[in-house]
Amino acid sequence: MAASIRMGEYGTYIGNTYNTSNYLTYTQMKVNAIYIYKAFKDKGWTLNAICGMLGNMQRESTLNPGIWQSNDVGNMDGGYGLVQWTPASKYINRLLPGDDASTMDNNIKRILYELANNLQWISTTTYPMSFQDFTTSRDTPENLASVFLYNYERAGVAAESERRRNALNWYLYLGGVLPEYQTKPKHFKWVLYANKLRNK
């Protein structure tokens, strides 16, 4: 069964039910990126940090909260969810009885629980940043993608350049403006001359 539109605390998103698994298209990922942005922005995270995390989630799960690693449904030894908790039991077995592991909200709650209880995150010597500092950082989304990769994901396949590129793409998609583009644009003489002609 393909992923479908689902409802959550922050609106609609696209995902699989617990017993199904599919990769999402880029169009579907955009819907989920907005949902994830709303949820973490509501908790005080910066756009930069959210996009650093999104860059990793795209690589890990195509932003699908209900995906099994390699679409191998029920494989508890593989990864599961937005950040591909591995083994899947690391996330699934810690839910309350009756909770649906495949929902976006339960995925997000788990990440926030890890943040609050100092779980999963390991501040490395390469990126000596705490999880809390990550959430409020205004460093570039690309750098924060690397921080999240090494301090949180610690993925078997780093694919760092891909995660960094993803993070930048989500930053621009969600309305971010990079610092180097925030300076006042230069007006060249031919532009000023053209404007002068139009105003005559």
Side-chain angles (χ1 to χ4, degrees):
M1 182 186 296
S4 59
I5 297 174
R6 306 182 70 178
M7 282 295 300
E9 184 178 348
Y10 294 90
T12 59
Y13 65 92
I14 298 170
N16 282 98
T17 58
Y18 184 70
N19 294 315
T20 65
S21 187
N22 299 94
Y23 298 113
L24 299 186
T25 66
Y26 183 65
T27 299
Q28 292 172 324
M29 282 193 281
K30 289 195 288 186
V31 174
N32 287 5
I34 292 171
Y35 189 101
I36 293 166
Y37 167 73
K38 288 179 181 177
F40 285 95
K41 181 68 173 176
D42 187 51
K43 302 302 180 184
W45 291 41
T46 62
L47 174 62
N48 308 47
I50 294 167
C51 291
M53 181 173 63
L54 284 171
N56 281 273
M57 287 177 172
Q58 180 176 351
R59 167 72 190 188
E60 295 293 326
S61 65
T62 63
L63 309 191
N64 185 347
I67 198 170
W68 294 85
Q69 185 176 356
S70 302
N71 289 324
D72 188 4
V73 175
N75 179 13
M76 296 294 281
D77 293 325
Y80 186 84
L82 286 175
V83 293
Q84 289 292 280
W85 286 278
T86 306
S89 57
K90 186 176 186 179
Y91 161 63
I92 294 169
N93 290 354
R94 292 175 180 172
L95 292 169
L96 294 173
D99 280 353
D100 183 351
S102 69
T103 69
M104 183 72 83
D105 291 345
N106 279 333
N107 274 247
I108 290 170
K109 285 176 185 176
R110 178 63 197 177
I111 295 169
L112 294 174
Y113 179 83
E114 291 169 339
L115 170 62
N117 292 277
N118 197 29
L119 299 172
Q120 184 63 28
W121 188 276
I122 298 174
S123 182
T124 59
T125 53
T126 306
Y127 294 103
M129 182 184 291
S130 72
F131 202 173
Q132 186 60 55
D133 287 342
F134 171 86
T135 69
T136 57
S137 177
R138 297 192 181 279
D139 197 351
T140 66
E142 301 101 309
N143 287 345
L144 291 174
S146 293
V147 174
F148 196 85
L149 166 61
Y150 290 106
N151 291 9
Y152 182 95
E153 289 287 356
R154 300 186 294 282
V157 179
E160 185 173 0
S161 60
E162 178 186 337
R163 295 169 196 260
R164 290 174 65 93
R165 186 170 60 249
N166 293 344
L168 175 59
N169 287 340
W170 289 122
Y171 185 80
L172 297 175
Y173 174 71
L174 292 169
V177 178
L178 295 177
E180 55 264 37
Y181 298 126
Q182 291 178 345
T183 56
K184 189 174 181 180
K186 294 178 180 179
H187 293 288
F188 296 100
K189 289 182 179 179
W190 69 268
V191 174
L192 294 175
Y193 179 71
N195 287 338
K196 187 176 180 181
L197 289 178
R198 276 201 302 269
N199 293 331
K200 279 187 175 181

